[in-house]
Amino acid sequence: MTEKRYSGRVFDAAALEQIRAILRTQAGASRQQLSYRVCEALEWRKPDGSLKDMSCRVALLGLYRDGLIALPPPRRHFEPQRSYSRRTPQGEPGLALDAPLSALGSVRLELVERPRSGLWNELIDRYHYLGYKPLPGAQLRYFAYAGEHLVAVLGFGAAAWQTAPRDQWIGWSREQRQRHLSAVVNNARFLILPWIRVPSLASKLLGLAARTLPGQWQARYGYRPYLLETFVEAERFSGTCYRAANWRCVGHTQGRGKLGDHRLGQVPVKTVWLYPLTPDCRQRLCQ
């Protein structure tokens, strides 16, 4: 087998044989239990030291589908994920708000906790052009308020495995990227609610998120990120609010998708925007 990549990790022939040995010696184990054993054997861990169990399960499934390993049948069967259909009065359009930012009071971000997670999902599904789907990997989600008004929702999750403009700007090697990719966080969703018309609100919220997220990310996951990234669909948006918040545009994608699939034209071309969270972020990411 030539090297293959799953879940952002490269698997060579030696790693494949190690996995096969675990599968032979762990007869009767569930797929979840096997993923724990593989993570431990390969030292596949998150920056906080916990096992990258979900990434490993995806990788094992990829190896299985490519005919490289045999897996026991799944013990649970899940229905295919459908669009988020929940609708509540809290998610209904609010009264139009058209005012200068200075007239609304202080702007703040609130972390989305479990009791209100459904409202965040609903707002994204109803009003964001991409709709709702779970954010990948480590993540933080926010409600944004101006005074007492809920004005926006934001979501941050795992970075794209590869994108040439970002990787060239950082200047890291493949090994450095694999080692430090978790220190890059993707602004996967940003929605100003459609009945909100407040000039400069978007850039204000992006600036606030850049100051707020690193400490909260460290509190939840045990490490601080060094860089924010986002992708702006070029035919829909110009990225004005990101530019106003001092993000930098470093180029365009080639339409390969988040995981860098070899087939061009799968997804629309997007501009790539970056925001360094530390002055020496490139040096840190290239260690």
Side-chain angles (χ1 to χ4, degrees):
M1 183 191 79
T2 57
E3 290 185 349
K4 301 199 74 172
R5 177 171 53 81
Y6 305 90
S7 299
R9 184 185 179 101
V10 174
F11 293 80
D12 58 14
L16 179 60
E17 184 51 42
Q18 201 170 3
I19 292 170
R20 286 173 174 161
I22 292 170
L23 297 178
R24 288 194 299 268
T25 59
Q26 298 290 322
S30 68
R31 291 186 176 189
Q32 182 180 29
Q33 292 167 333
L34 290 170
S35 72
Y36 292 155
R37 302 292 180 268
V38 171
C39 281
E40 290 168 347
L42 300 181
E43 281 295 316
W44 199 1
R45 297 179 181 273
K46 303 173 186 176
D48 64 4
S50 60
L51 299 176
K52 295 196 73 170
D53 170 48
M54 291 304 299
S55 295
C56 186
R57 278 192 249 178
V58 172
L60 291 176
L61 187 59
L63 288 164
Y64 169 74
R65 287 173 173 168
D66 287 345
L68 298 171
I69 62 172
L71 285 176
R75 296 184 179 181
R76 296 180 183 179
H77 296 277
F78 297 95
E79 292 293 328
Q81 183 179 335
R82 297 178 173 87
S83 61
Y84 194 87
S85 58
R86 183 186 180 201
R87 297 294 182 259
T88 66
Q90 291 76 21
E92 290 295 316
L95 295 175
L97 179 63
D98 191 342
L101 186 58
S102 59
L104 299 181
S106 61
V107 176
R108 70 185 190 280
L109 298 176
E110 286 188 6
L111 279 172
V112 175
E113 304 295 349
R114 186 173 297 276
R116 302 189 72 203
S117 179
L119 177 58
W120 192 96
N121 299 344
E122 179 183 349
L123 292 172
I124 287 291
D125 191 63
R126 293 178 73 161
Y127 305 117
H128 195 286
Y129 77 100
L130 291 175
Y132 169 76
K133 63 180 179 179
L135 299 183
Q139 59 185 263
L140 291 177
R141 295 177 297 158
Y142 293 99
F143 293 116
Y145 290 87
E148 297 306 312
H149 301 279
L150 176 61
V151 294
V153 291
L154 302 88
F156 295 84
W161 165 247
Q162 64 182 10
T163 179
R166 179 203 66 195
D167 295 340
Q168 291 168 5
W169 183 85
I170 295 171
W172 54 10
S173 66
R174 186 178 72 174
E175 291 74 19
Q176 290 166 338
R177 182 182 65 197
Q178 183 170 321
R179 191 159 56 244
H180 296 301
L181 185 64
S182 60
V184 181
V185 174
N186 182 272
N187 177 208
R189 291 291 185 271
F190 184 22
L191 170 69
I192 303 291
L193 297 173
W195 52 91
I196 304 298
R197 296 286 187 271
V198 178
S200 302
L201 174 62
S203 58
K204 176 77 172 180
L205 291 174
L206 288 170
L208 182 58
R211 296 190 298 273
T212 303
L213 180 141
Q216 292 180 331
W217 195 275
Q218 183 170 31
R220 179 167 295 184
Y221 297 110
Y223 69 97
R224 293 179 77 89
Y226 302 142
L227 182 67
L228 298 179
E229 69 175 17
T230 198
F231 300 90
V232 175
E233 194 168 317
E235 291 189 357
R236 285 179 177 266
F237 309 107
S238 61
T240 302
C241 65
Y242 288 96
R243 190 182 304 279
N246 294 318
W247 290 55
R248 60 188 71 186
C249 182
V250 295
H252 292 74
T253 66
Q254 295 182 324
R256 295 180 187 270
K258 182 178 175 65
L259 296 178
D261 195 286
H262 66 282
R263 293 167 293 175
L264 293 174
Q266 291 189 106
V267 296
V269 171
K270 299 176 182 179
T271 51
V272 183
W273 296 78
L274 303 176
Y275 188 91
L277 295 171
T278 64
D280 61 345
C281 74
R282 281 189 279 194
Q283 292 90 326
R284 291 173 180 263
L285 292 170
C286 290
Q287 291 177 352

